[in-house]
Amino acid sequence: MNRDSLIKGSFKIIMKILRFLVISILVVGFVNAQDNSAIKSPPDSLSTDTISNSIPISNCNSINNLSLSLKDAIEISLKNSDKIKQYEMRLEQKEDENLAAWSNFLPSIDLEWKYTHLNDPLSIDLDPIRQVIIQMQSSNQAELTNIYGLLSGKPALTADQKKLVASAASAQLNGLLPPFSETLKKQDYKTAAFIGVQPLFVGGKLIAAKKYAASEEEYSRLELTKIKNDVTNETIKYYLQTILMQEVVKTRKDVLNGIRMHRNDAQKLFDEGLIANYHLLRAEVAVSEAERYLTKDQNSFNTLMLALKINLGIDEEESINLSDSLVYSEIQDSLKQLTNSAIDNNTLLKMIGQKKIAAAQKYNSARSEFLPKIAAFARYDLYPEYLSALEPRWAIGVSAQINLFHGFRDYLNLQSADKLEDEVSFLESDAIKKVTLQTTNFYNNIMTASSDYKKLNSTLDLAKENLRQNDKRFHSGLGTSLEVIDAQLSLEKVKLDRLSSLYNYFGFMSDLYTSNNNIDELIRIWNIGVNK
């Protein structure tokens, strides 16, 4: 009764522990699900940490006559990019691996089943001892019978009589004593048992594994952010190139119209005999050259428009209208502010920071090999009828293990992990210097493009005045057709250089702010110019 009640009590305790573990797992899963949903919920801003879904379009592949701003283009590219979706799946993998790392702290419970066939039943036979006991007791019985007879005044028993008494006693004892043999294990038997192991202390390896998994998840999240920034920068470059070529085509058309007007004026003056034939021929050549440049740039614009559609995931047959234009807007941040922002927000530096954490956890894991490993275990057999008298129905206990010598492998692994930490530290230091240099380079290029644009503004006024005066001199007979055409081409060059400086200005600004993970500031500066 005591053994049965103890077994029942232990079984109830095990069931309570199992219920507690199941509830703990459900709670941990619910908390992590809430964290993941908070991470994946899109913010109100345009930050590329998440994919924005704010475009009021149900299917971006069926857009008709879409008026597309730069902000819309960025949002569409973030939504349709297959590369972003690839890295989102990678992030979800790391999230699952991080969640799985929690299971290392929980017990492992296995159900084990075996069927065994032995060459012979496992038994023990003590019959020789039984026969010795019967023989001794029979002899003693014969002697006691003889003594009892002598005390009663009877004659002593003869040897034959003693043998008869001993034989009768031996037969009686043989019937009373059980056989001295027992089968411990049948030749065929089954075994089934619940086996549980709960790690109690493994030298900090479980904590290191959890922190490593968390750092890998954060690394994948930063990697996804970097990919979003790269896609955003690529989209901005395509958008800027297309707008630039659109403005170039407009400039080419204006120049062509101006040269055609000059050609018509030259034709009238030639017909009136006021100018020589070579003036008209020079105007005709200029018209032909302007038409050739216009055709070339128009084809380039069509190619860039197609590239932009492919980048955005829009059908090639759909018609889009770029609603924004290249308009200058002053950058407000200083080089020091941008450098500090780059060091704080650059995704590559943050990714190296996570690798630094991972290297530290690898060192902790290697160090744990020098510490003891302690675990609790439990076993409960489901086939008690197949257990021998020497085997318990259930058992619980604690085990401890520590390695004393492993051929210096653990020591060398620890040294390797320590050097890996130093390597990542040097990598981080070098990366900070290169990010600082990169930011300075971007900033200087922005300032150069800004200076060029401002200087070209005053040059543009001079080129317009130069054209006006040369055209006036030509009509008064004091100037030549070559001077008018040169003035037209000079004005065209100033306009194209001005557009090129604007493209470089915003292109380097895109490189700067996407590398600093600050797309919102770029869009703010861009919209200031667009809304002027």
Side-chain angles (χ1 to χ4, degrees), residues 49-242:
D49 288 340
T50 56
I51 297 178
S52 173
N53 294 311
S54 61
I55 307 173
I57 299 172
S58 59
N59 187 350
C60 292
N61 293 327
S62 60
I63 302 174
N64 291 313
N65 298 320
L66 173 65
S67 179
L68 194 67
S69 66
L70 178 60
K71 181 179 179 180
D72 295 335
I74 293 173
E75 291 177 340
I76 293 175
S77 65
L78 292 178
K79 183 176 181 181
N80 293 344
S81 173
D82 290 332
K83 194 169 186 179
I84 290 178
K85 294 176 183 178
Q86 171 195 345
Y87 280 84
E88 285 178 338
M89 292 300 101
R90 181 178 297 182
L91 174 59
E92 291 184 10
Q93 293 175 35
K94 296 300 180 179
E95 288 174 348
D96 292 338
E97 291 175 7
N98 186 25
L99 183 61
W102 282 109
S103 63
N104 295 329
F105 296 93
L106 302 177
S108 64
I109 301 175
D110 300 324
L111 175 61
E112 180 184 74
W113 186 90
K114 293 180 182 178
Y115 177 84
T116 307
H117 174 76
L118 303 177
N119 58 336
D120 290 307
L122 184 62
S123 60
I124 183 171
D125 188 2
L126 300 178
D127 189 66
I129 297 176
R130 182 174 179 273
Q131 295 300 326
V132 170
I133 294 174
I134 292 175
Q135 183 180 358
M136 291 177 62
Q137 291 296 327
S138 300
S139 299
N140 292 337
Q141 185 64 33
E143 292 298 330
L144 289 173
T145 301
N146 184 36
I147 294 172
Y148 182 76
L150 291 174
L151 294 175
S152 300
K154 296 179 180 180
L157 297 176
T158 64
D160 292 336
Q161 290 175 332
K162 288 181 179 181
K163 288 182 179 180
L164 290 174
V165 173
S167 177
S170 175
Q172 185 178 9
L173 289 173
N174 190 51
L176 293 175
L177 290 176
F180 280 21
S181 63
E182 181 70 26
T183 299
L184 301 179
K185 284 285 187 183
K186 297 180 181 180
Q187 191 172 15
D188 297 281
Y189 66 93
K190 294 179 290 185
T191 302
F194 286 111
I195 301 174
V197 178
Q198 171 62 62
L200 300 178
F201 178 75
V202 290
K205 179 176 286 188
L206 300 184
I207 297 176
K210 178 63 184 70
K211 291 183 177 179
Y212 178 85
S215 70
E216 285 294 293
E217 178 186 342
E218 184 61 25
Y219 181 89
S220 294
R221 184 171 289 106
L222 292 170
E223 192 174 32
L224 174 60
T225 301
K226 181 181 179 301
I227 294 301
K228 289 181 179 181
N229 289 336
D230 291 343
V231 170
T232 299
N233 192 29
E234 183 180 19
T235 301
I236 292 174
K237 292 297 181 64
Y238 275 121
Y239 194 91
L240 291 176
Q241 290 173 6
T242 308

Side-chain angles (χ1 to χ4, degrees), residues 303-318:
T303 301
L304 288 171
M305 181 62 75
L306 177 61
L308 178 62
K309 290 179 182 178
I310 293 174
N311 175 263
L312 299 180
I314 297 176
D315 191 271
E316 298 176 10
E317 301 300 325
E318 300 296 341

